[in-house]
């Protein structure tokens, strides 16, 4: 079952404060907010999407800011760290910038020969920026970071698992190949992907399961090009014994979800139709967009959703 997955599509996490979340991802990290919408199941909560200029799959970090949730507890069965790609030689820029912005948890690290800078977002969420040579993807330079140091998209993510075996088999089924092992971390990579091609697995047999809350990743989504590819992938996963949801229309992509044997919630999302479905590229993210079934709530939502103050 190889050849359909194109790398990551998006990573979706939980936070508390929509305004602080927006400030961190647009100002501190220089991403573009490409869509301002609400959670399909809980329309009183935003769904905020940050990425490159067009919200290209493989660049999109998304958040559900639930105003009253408590912090999650990091553990196994979840995404442990989400990693962005930046050009070689730019980590010093990022260290200086994140320090000036008061970002916590700054730590230099080296993994499989990649230089990276680890840090925490506003709810303690674990991220890293890695220097990747020759990443051909264009960065969004129309926002807070106009220079060559800007983020190109995801490099990938690390999954923290108690028992990695079944998830390793699943990744191979999805087209990933084992690349290397270092300090107990096993690296998987996809050939012919969108650039967000790395999944690292950290096996921690004695660490308790994570508890979902602010700062936790809710799910990680992998990209397929088309609806036909998604249906083929869905059938293959079901045939392999996975319990997969029906196709769900998320307005900007179609989604299927399944809980992996290691506990992480995986989604497979289509590259079509994309974030320009209901807004021109020049104005992505500016207006509050509502799923059709929640449009009747617009007047209430426009006065009750927390204010998001865009910062230069
Ligand atoms: Zn998703």
């Amino acid at each position: 079952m190889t050849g359909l997955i194109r790398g990551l599509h998006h990573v979706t996490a939980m936070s508390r404060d929509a305004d602080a979340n927006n400030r961190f991802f647009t100002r501190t990290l220089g991403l573009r907010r490409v869509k301002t919408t609400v959670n399909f199941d809980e329309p009183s909560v935003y769904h905020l999407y940050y990425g490159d200029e067009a919200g290209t799959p493989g660049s999109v970090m998304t958040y559900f800011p639930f105003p009253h949730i408590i912090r999650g507890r990091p553990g196994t069965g979840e995404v442990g760290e989400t990693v962005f790609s930046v050009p070689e030689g730019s980590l010093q820029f990022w260290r200086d910038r994140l320090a000036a912005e008061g970002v916590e948890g700054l730590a230099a690290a080296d993994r499989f020969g990649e230089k990276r800078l680890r840090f925490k977002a506003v709810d303690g969420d674990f991220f890293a920026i890695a220097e990747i040579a020759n990443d051909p993807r264009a960065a969004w330079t129309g926002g807070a970071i106009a220079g060559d140091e800007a983020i190109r998209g995801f490099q990938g993510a690390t999954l923290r698992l108690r028992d990695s075996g079944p998830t390793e088999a699943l990744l191979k089924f999805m087209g990933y190949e084992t690349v290397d092992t270092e300090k107990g971390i096993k690296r998987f990579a996809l050939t012919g992907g969108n650039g967000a091609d790395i999944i690292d697995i950290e096996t921690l047999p004695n660490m308790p399961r994570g508890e979902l809350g602010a700062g936790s990743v809710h799910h990680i989504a992998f990209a397929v090009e088309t609806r036909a590819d998604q249906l083929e992938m869905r059938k293959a996963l079901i045939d392999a014994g996975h319990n997969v949801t029906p196709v769900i229309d998320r307005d900007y992509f179609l989604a299927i979800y399944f809980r992996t044997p290691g506990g992480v919630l995986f989604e497979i999302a289509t590259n079509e139709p994309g974030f320009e479905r209901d807004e021109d590229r020049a104005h992505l993210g500016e207006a509050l967009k509502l799923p059709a079934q929640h449009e009747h709530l617009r007047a209430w939502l426009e006065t009750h959703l927390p204010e998001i103050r865009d910062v230069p």
Side-chain angles (χ1 to χ4, degrees), residues 10 12 219 267:
H10 62 271
T12 294
H219 64 266
E267 173 184 342

Side-chain angles (χ1 to χ4, degrees), residues 10-12 47 49 62 64 219-221 250 253 255 257 267 269:
H10 62 271
V11 176
T12 294
H47 192 180
Y49 290 79
T62 100
F64 299 133
H219 64 266
I220 181 168
R250 294 305 191 194
F253 47 86
Y257 304 86
E267 173 184 342

